Amino acid sequence: MREAERRQKNLGQLYTTEVLVPASSAYVPYVRGAAFGRLRRVKAAALPEDLGPEDIVVFDAAPFDVPTPIAAAITAAPHAELSHLNVRSAARGTPSCRVADAMSRFESWEGKLARVECGAEGVAIRAASAAEVADAVRRRRPLPVTIAPPDLSGALVNLLEIPADGVAERSLSRRRYGAKAANLATLAQRIPAAWTVRGFAIPLAAYDAFIHQGSPSLASRIDEIFADARVLADPAYRKTRLAALRAAFEKTSVDPETLRLVSGNVETMFGADTMVRFRSSSNAEDDVLFNGAGLYDSVSVCLADDRDSDSRGPSRCDGDTKEERGVARGLVKVWASLWTDRAVAERLWYGIDPRRVAMGVLVDPRAKSERANIVAFTASPNGPAFLVEAQKGELAVVSSEPGVWPEQTRLRIGPGNALSIERMATSSEAKEVLTESVLRELGARLVTIQSLFPVDDKAPAGADIILDTEWKVLADGRLIIKQIRPFLRRPR
């Protein structure tokens, strides 16, 4: 037994474990496991700025997101098992669970050091020492993740023309266009066109050119920020520096040739009066060792807003959008989201070199008045069940507002691809989000996609790689897939 493990075992014997919450309908283990840290009860609508990896956080409701790695998340309200909060918790191996009356249950533990376990049989808790907490934080920190540097030779390209035939081509495409665009291109070239969206990719080279123009350049500012040791150690100080950096992005002009090329592609593919989405597609996300779910921003863009005679809203593409949504604005907002607090905190936790990250953009049409948003995870390659979470209309599954949760269904695939539907939970907003016919269509497509989407990475021992997919049911009833990425499922 290693010395650290022996010391922790000896320390643990000094305390008595209490089963604080037995398994019941009021308890849901989203990500099972144990964590050491200081227990803090906080309001989801007003998160403290000093949350960190040594905190076991009890939320009064499920937060929209948590902008930094924490030791464990316990929520008083149900929420999406496939939310960004839970997906990143699962990727880190940090526990997450729901306890109906969590704020009162944990009141006596407020501010105390503890070991908390979200287990199959309920929540267990005991006192912990400062040495145990420090040791747990050290052991939980992952080995540094090395990402390949961006390839800066790419040009604007249709998704169907992004190289995706072999391992080397797909790797190069992720470095040129970012993982989101490369993954969707890989899938789009293997499925019927009606199953997904049309689109094109803006390469990482456009971002790189943007940050290197002028003096001082944005690139030099980024280097200066991460050469400052205080940025790494002080989250509040880091937040101030990053806010100033993003403000500098907003004041920097986009190269006219880049605007001409992007605008021309939007008009040719979609038309100037069609609202499109500029979706973040970096080289630091959707990786088996670094998931990065929800770290970056996507925005709506209207080319026609650049061609009217004023800068006032509403948008010419959508009268319900009260401000104009020009192309340059959209590019800068997506590029600047590479440096949000949550994105930088997550990458620092994984030891990712900030000099290697860059942002591409996936451009596709914006859906409006859709009937449903869907997130679906496939099971282990050896398992038959798919987990599906769906929310009505334009409401999000992965980043819901506090007090809002999706419909949850399990689809089980039997012999001959026979499908059975097990409805697990209803949405907070609707009695039924997905009809049986939509679920059957979704199940059949997931079977096909699981069989043909190439996963180039290998899972570590004891883990497996499944697929994380996002779908929409459009206003006309069509079911389309808009995102796919591999997800490393760790053993519980």
Side-chain angles (χ1 to χ4, degrees), residues 172-420:
L172 181 61
S173 292
R174 288 192 292 272
R175 293 168 54 205
R176 281 183 178 171
Y177 300 104
K180 189 177 295 178
N183 286 342
L184 189 60
T186 297
L187 180 64
Q189 294 172 27
R190 289 164 169 78
I191 61 176
W195 287 16
T196 190
V197 294
R198 295 177 301 136
F200 67 92
I202 302 170
L204 275 62
Y207 164 86
D208 187 75
F210 176 77
I211 66 169
H212 281 94
Q213 63 181 319
S215 181
S217 67
L218 292 168
S220 66
R221 290 173 186 250
I222 292 167
D223 289 342
E224 179 187 346
I225 287 171
F226 290 97
D228 184 347
R230 188 178 170 190
V231 166
L232 307 180
D234 185 343
Y237 176 70
R238 181 170 67 238
K239 181 177 181 178
T240 300
R241 295 293 303 272
L242 291 175
L245 174 64
R246 294 193 301 273
F249 267 71
E250 299 282 350
K251 295 175 183 176
T252 302
S253 298
V254 179
D255 171 63
E257 179 63 10
T258 298
L259 286 178
R260 186 187 70 80
L261 291 171
V262 173
S263 298
N265 269 38
V266 169
E267 183 160 34
T268 300
M269 185 169 286
F270 309 110
D273 294 321
T274 298
M275 190 77 85
V276 297
R277 290 289 283 176
F278 281 14
R279 303 177 62 205
S280 56
S281 181
S282 80
N283 64 337
E285 63 181 312
D286 295 1
D287 184 81
V288 167
L289 295 180
F290 182 72
N291 181 270
L295 294 185
Y296 312 116
D297 295 337
S298 300
V299 299
S300 295
V301 170
C302 174
L303 175 59
D305 288 344
D306 287 332
R307 297 181 173 176
D308 62 12
S309 59
D310 59 63
S311 59
R312 302 187 304 274
S315 172
R316 287 184 57 184
C317 293
D318 181 1
D320 293 334
T321 301
K322 300 307 180 185
E323 61 181 353
E324 292 201 336
R325 300 296 185 104
V327 172
R329 171 191 180 275
L331 285 171
V332 171
K333 284 191 175 295
V334 174
W335 288 338
S337 74
L338 195 61
W339 305 105
T340 60
D341 301 338
R342 64 182 182 274
V344 171
E346 193 80 7
R347 293 198 303 264
L348 287 175
W349 177 251
Y350 281 87
I352 292 176
D353 186 345
R355 296 167 298 181
R356 288 196 168 192
V357 299
M359 181 64 76
V361 182
L362 166 61
V363 183
D364 58 28
R366 187 199 69 173
K368 187 179 182 184
S369 302
E370 62 260 41
R371 297 183 186 180
N373 277 300
I374 305 166
V375 178
F377 271 44
T378 63
S380 160
N382 298 317
F386 302 138
L387 177 60
V388 178
E389 294 193 335
Q391 189 56 278
K392 75 168 189 175
E394 298 179 4
L395 294 174
V397 173
V398 293
S399 53
S400 298
E401 296 294 337
V404 177
W405 58 86
E407 173 182 278
Q408 186 182 88
T409 307
R410 291 190 187 276
L411 305 179
R412 300 189 180 278
I413 312 299
N417 288 338
L419 182 141
S420 63

